[in-house]
Amino acid sequence: MKAAVRKWEQVREFALGLPEAVEEHPWGPESGVVKINKKIFVFLGTADGPEPPGLSVKLTDEALHEHALTAPGARPTAYGLGRSGWVTVPLGEKGAPGAEMLCEWVEESYRAVALKRHVKLLDELLDGRGA
């Protein structure tokens, strides 16, 4: 479980480092989400809530979406969000994706909901890092 919490913390930090990203708790302390322009791009929950750590991301790229669904315990996100490309991935399962892969999915989710100007800022940021 400690590894899952570490991954969760890394993903949260990455998400909050994206241009103009903000964290909110719309349904209480165990409902952490990260938004861009008032749109959620990652559901985080909490690292120490009643549920094991996990996240949900919107993956519109078909290959990434299918790959995410192969992660242990992964499933289309509830409440009809799965139909729009959202995938829920538990972090505590044996063989769960590593933080690097999860951050790639978070970036894809950000790109799926962000305005063009935010994507441009992200690309500039990544270019500056030599990515």
Side-chain angles (χ1 to χ4, degrees):
M1 189 60 110
K2 287 181 184 178
V5 170
R6 276 194 307 275
K7 279 193 273 192
W8 181 91
E9 289 170 344
Q10 288 175 294
V11 169
R12 178 180 172 272
E13 183 178 326
F14 175 81
L16 290 172
L18 295 172
E20 298 184 32
V22 295
E23 185 174 28
E24 294 183 7
H25 296 273
W27 304 285
E30 283 140 18
S31 69
V33 300
V34 184
K35 295 181 172 184
I36 180 65
N37 198 42
K38 300 180 183 176
K39 292 184 178 181
I40 297 170
F41 68 92
V42 61
F43 290 88
L44 287 170
T46 62
D48 58 357
E51 298 290 320
L55 58 86
S56 297
V57 288
K58 183 173 185 169
L59 300 173
T60 55
D61 178 276
E62 192 174 320
L64 278 179
H65 185 265
E66 291 303 315
H67 183 249
L69 286 173
T70 67
R75 65 192 182 285
T77 304
Y79 305 108
L81 293 172
R83 289 190 299 272
S84 299
W86 286 88
V87 178
T88 297
V89 181
L91 303 182
E93 301 284 329
K94 183 176 178 153
E100 187 175 323
M101 177 65 61
L102 294 166
C103 289
E104 286 179 31
W105 294 345
V106 167
E107 180 184 330
E108 174 67 23
S109 189
Y110 177 93
R111 290 176 182 279
V113 302
L115 298 173
K116 288 180 183 176
R117 71 178 177 88
H118 295 120
V119 173
K120 184 177 182 211
L121 285 171
L122 175 60
D123 289 340
E124 290 170 358
L125 178 68
L126 294 175
D127 286 345
R129 289 184 186 163

